[in-house]
Amino acid sequence: MTLQGWGLIALFIIILWALAKPMGLWLFALYEGRRTVLHRVLGPVETGFYKLAGIDPTVEQGWRRYAVHMLAFNLALLLLTYAILRLQGVLPMNPLGLSGMAPDGAFNTAVSFTTNTNWQWYSGEVALSNFSQMVGLTIHNFLSASTGIALAFALFRGFARREAKAIGNFWADMTRVTLYLLLPICVVYAVFLIASGVPQTLAQSVDATTLEGVKQVIALGPVASQEAIKMLGTNGGGFFNANSAHPFENPTALTNLVQMLSIFLIGFGLTWTFGKAVGNPRQGWAILAAMTLLFLAGTSVAYWQEAAGNPVLHQLGVAGGNLEGKEVRFGIAASALFASVTTAASCGAVNAMHDSFTALGGMIPLINMQLGEVVIGGVGAGIYGFLLFAILAVFVAGLMVGRTPEYVGKKIESREVKLAVLAIAVLPLMILGGTSIASVVTAGLAGPLAKGPHGFSEILYAFTSAVGNNGSAFAGLSAGTPFYNAMLGIAMWGGRFFVIVPMLAIAGSLAAKKVTPPSSGSFPTTGPLWVGLLVGIILILGGLTFLPSLALGPVADHLAMLGGHLS
């Protein structure tokens, strides 16, 4: 570990904390439906969308109607993308003449991008045409991200409103987020990436001749535009197979830093928006403090382990940290930080191969995802996932002080606690259930490249990434098979929508309640004690649930390494 490495981590956190309030103010304006400076230009576009769709944005929806409209919209997008991928061979903008995807592969990919997971079993530059990339996938990068933020807004209204039957209008929330937040930032972001050397062209490849006189085909395409929303929307699906380790996606140390900042930017801002929505910004800062503590703890372990390197190689005279699978232009600190960022935010982009991390260094991305998108999390999904844990934490606190639990003025009763437990239980049920099936059936065991604990970690990582809607991979698993495409597709859908529906039910229940003023018996939810309780509840639940599987995978792998065995 170096002072420069710790300086990078510190700079990263300082910049994000400084940007949290400005981004939160922008998001709060959209949450309230207020006009912004962009309405002069984009307002007519928004109005035109509503007229074409026959939607009245002023008519609000109860939680059931909000959920039905959201599910129907995402199902329609899934079917559209599935059709595009299957018919790729006869659609335009396909200069390489690529054929359509097989049914299982198209199903997996369509579900993946619909759920904001962006899991990729294929190499994008040789499997997808420009039309499939731009129309089939990039559209999801915007709309799955805006859906997540819209859902966060709905839960915020549940906490903020008094005796209300509605939690907003899904179509208005999603449209405003897309038009006035994601699109403007991504236009500026894409121009920055183009200026930094990221390609943006409709040409799918260019021929080059190497110094040895060998012909080489270099893949190109509309990379910068997809890269911008890939990061800002915590999507993570790469235009190229190497993702953000590819110089055409992430060419310099500056682009690497900007990409990491953009992954966390909206997640940080939403915490401030929540505090503003409930009338107490300190509530948002408390949530952000708990998220930051969890993130720094994981990042520190990952950096420490990667900088320490492999003791077996040290005994052979190979000194230094673990640089296997990492880009030299980034180094160990930036690679460990990126791995922690992308899995803490359920983004899935990678600038190094997680399969090549040390056992405990690779365990941190696993833990980040297994904690349920609460360490910053995906755009929108992170904050509403965290608030589910906050409901459980305040329930425990209520038991401690001997009175009905309260959070931001709303009584937390049995209905909310049951729904929160139901939503949180989805992750371990589907992660451990899918992993156990894949670990015993022949089709599942054919996937891992490695054997023993590391092979088990590859399977565990795949299902953790899918259910957690992350999309990153250990890279050692051959997942492009009918078995894994089907199993992981189901896992991605369940991990997204089986959490959302109970969360919306909580929003509807809370919105209908009166506000209870705090009293001397109320448990404070803005100070260090509350932050510590939140962190403790999250770690205890995650530890009790996933520790046995981690012991079989990365922990056993680490102990084997200490014993001199490499696999």
Side-chain angles (χ1 to χ4, degrees), residues 189-200:
Y189 195 174
V191 171
F192 161 76
L193 291 173
I194 293 169
S196 301
V198 177
Q200 181 68 19

Side-chain angles (χ1 to χ4, degrees), residues 52-65:
L52 286 173
I55 293 169
D56 184 352
T58 63
V59 176
E60 294 203 340
Q61 303 162 327
W63 79 264
R64 291 181 180 85
R65 190 171 180 82

Side-chain angles (χ1 to χ4, degrees), residues 27-50:
L27 286 160
F28 185 69
L30 300 178
Y31 163 80
E32 287 199 317
R34 291 190 280 108
R35 289 183 62 85
T36 68
V37 294
L38 297 175
H39 274 72
R40 292 183 179 180
V41 178
L42 298 175
V45 179
E46 179 188 4
T47 303
F49 281 155
Y50 296 146

